[in-house]
Amino acid sequence: MSSSDRRRFLFLSAAVLLGGCGFTPAYGPSGGASQLQNRILIDEPTDSDSYLLVRELENRLGRAQAPQYGLSLALTTRRESMAVTSDNRTTRYNLLGDLRYTLRDLGTDEELTSGRVDSFTGFSTTGSTVATRAARADARERLMTILADRVTANLMAYAARLPQ
């Protein structure tokens, strides 16, 4: 079997399998996630981390134009020393983030779903002061991106059960 025949066989097999299991693209015509697009009013950020998080969520879900749902966020972050030299200098940190979220109906103020996601990123402190600050800022931004991805995935999974 030639390489192009294998690819065609795999593609057709995948199409048959996914079609038979009821798979629908999240943002497709009958996908539930389209109900979320531009309809979630996210609570205003209170600090630089929550600003980054809200920015990432709005990039994924759109900015609320006709809000039907409200998304409340409770973010906590902390820094842990990971690599300490013999003279007690920390050369690497992990930045840990924990995010609790609640999606509610703005009309009834009923809680529709809630959950918790967490993750971590790391950064090194072995460079100059400027390099360390840049690495810390980059780690914070990466952490907020990861948390936003996880919340978005959870909301997309729930979207099919949203009231019409």
Side-chain angles (χ1 to χ4, degrees), residues 7-22:
R7 280 190 294 246
R8 185 173 181 190
F9 173 74
L10 289 173
F11 176 74
L12 290 174
S13 298
V16 168
L17 289 173
L18 290 176
C21 74

Side-chain angles (χ1 to χ4, degrees), residues 79 123-140:
R79 190 172 66 176
F123 65 96
S124 174
T125 63
T126 57
S128 66
T129 303
V130 172
T132 298
R133 285 185 180 196
R136 183 182 317 126
D138 181 63
R140 288 188 175 287

Side-chain angles (χ1 to χ4, degrees), residues 41-102:
L41 181 62
I42 303 169
D43 289 352
E44 290 185 21
T46 57
D47 58 17
S48 60
D49 284 343
S50 61
Y51 167 79
L52 293 171
L53 180 63
V54 169
R55 182 186 73 184
E56 293 299 324
L57 285 167
E58 285 181 345
N59 283 341
R60 287 153 184 74
L61 299 169
R63 188 169 273 195
Q65 296 169 358
Q68 288 180 265
Y69 310 107
L71 184 63
S72 299
L73 307 169
L75 174 67
T76 57
T77 59
R78 63 185 167 89
R79 190 172 66 176
E80 283 184 352
S81 301
M82 294 305 297
V84 181
T85 63
S86 59
D87 61 343
N88 207 27
R89 286 185 315 117
T90 303
T91 59
R92 183 150 188 88
Y93 286 98
N94 268 357
L95 184 63
L96 297 101
D98 184 79
L99 176 64
R100 296 182 189 279
Y101 65 91
T102 303

Side-chain angles (χ1 to χ4, degrees), residues 53 56-57 60 144-154:
L53 180 63
E56 293 299 324
L57 285 167
R60 287 153 184 74
M144 296 308 123
T145 299
I146 293 167
L147 294 174
D149 285 343
R150 291 188 175 177
V151 168
T152 302
N154 289 352

Side-chain angles (χ1 to χ4, degrees), residues 34-41 61 64-69:
S34 59
Q35 288 182 225
L36 299 175
Q37 205 62 24
N38 300 320
R39 293 186 180 147
I40 297 179
L41 181 62
L61 299 169
Q65 296 169 358
Q68 288 180 265
Y69 310 107

